[in-house]
Amino acid sequence: MTTLYLVRHGETVDNAHQIMQGQTQGELNGNGIRQAEEVSRELEGVALDAIIASDLKRAIDTATIIAKPHQLKVITTPLLRERDWGDFTGRFIPSLKGEAWPDNVETLEALLSRADEFITYVKEAYPGKKVLAVGHGIINKAIQAVYYDKPMNEIPRMVNAEVRVLEL
């Protein structure tokens, strides 16, 4: 059985300002760096075999901080990218309430398919291993929705730098 430590990246400048980041790179703020350092300390005693991150900067930076005591290279994959929010990207989140969704937002079906593909990748590439994966709020929710076979709205929101453990 593969153990997946699923982590949301640390807080970013845009998180703090309630900006929809989507697939933009993002930049950890001071709090986000501290959060990643805290996760690193908490997991220091866990014998991780691999560390995977979304190929977006905010996830790579979080994973790199967590990886330090493990002396592991961070492997990146676009499968862990945040949902593509299309024309909502870069917008102030509270102002989006009630707006019609643009046609260029990644569909729920595509998001869940990507989440399923990620789970399959981890199980096949790291059987019986302990893997830490740093993703984003919505893709991590989609991974858990696939794992638990539940609708996304039944998966609790992950806060920045939260860790959830899944046995694959």
Side-chain angles (χ1 to χ4, degrees), residues 2-8 39 42-43 48 118 131-145 147-148 152 154-168:
T2 301
T3 303
L4 177 64
Y5 294 82
L6 188 62
V7 181
R8 182 177 175 199
V39 172
E42 287 173 11
L43 297 178
L48 296 173
F118 176 74
V131 178
L132 183 131
V134 180
H136 308 267
I138 303 300
I139 186 61
N140 285 4
K141 191 179 248 211
I143 289 165
Q144 292 170 87
Y147 175 80
Y148 291 112
M152 293 229 339
E154 291 184 19
I155 304 299
R157 177 182 181 272
M158 287 182 81
V159 297
N160 290 108
E162 181 177 343
V163 181
R164 294 192 184 160
V165 181
L166 308 178
E167 298 289 346
L168 306 180

Side-chain angles (χ1 to χ4, degrees), residues 25-129:
Q25 294 299 322
E27 185 71 41
L28 295 180
N29 62 17
N31 189 44
I33 292 167
R34 282 189 295 280
Q35 290 170 332
E37 289 170 344
E38 188 174 307
V39 172
S40 179
R41 283 190 299 277
E42 287 173 11
L43 297 178
E44 194 169 358
V46 176
L48 296 173
D49 297 295
I51 297 181
I52 305 169
S54 153
D55 61 352
L56 300 176
K57 184 178 181 347
R58 60 194 188 266
I60 295 169
D61 289 350
T62 301
T64 300
I65 292 167
I66 295 168
K68 265 189 188 139
H70 300 280
Q71 300 177 338
L72 292 170
K73 181 178 184 276
V74 175
I75 299 157
T76 62
T77 177
L79 292 174
L80 276 174
R81 277 187 180 184
E82 182 57 294
R83 187 176 194 175
D84 184 346
W85 288 106
D87 290 342
F88 278 167
T89 303
R91 301 266 313 274
F92 183 58
I93 294 168
S95 74
L96 301 175
K97 189 174 174 125
E99 274 196 41
W101 282 36
D103 291 339
N104 60 353
V105 171
E106 183 177 11
T107 66
L108 186 59
E109 294 76 18
L111 180 71
L112 291 168
S113 174
R114 195 157 48 88
D116 187 53
E117 192 177 340
F118 176 74
I119 289 171
T120 300
Y121 158 70
V122 171
K123 287 195 305 194
E124 290 177 356
Y126 303 99
K129 303 289 187 184

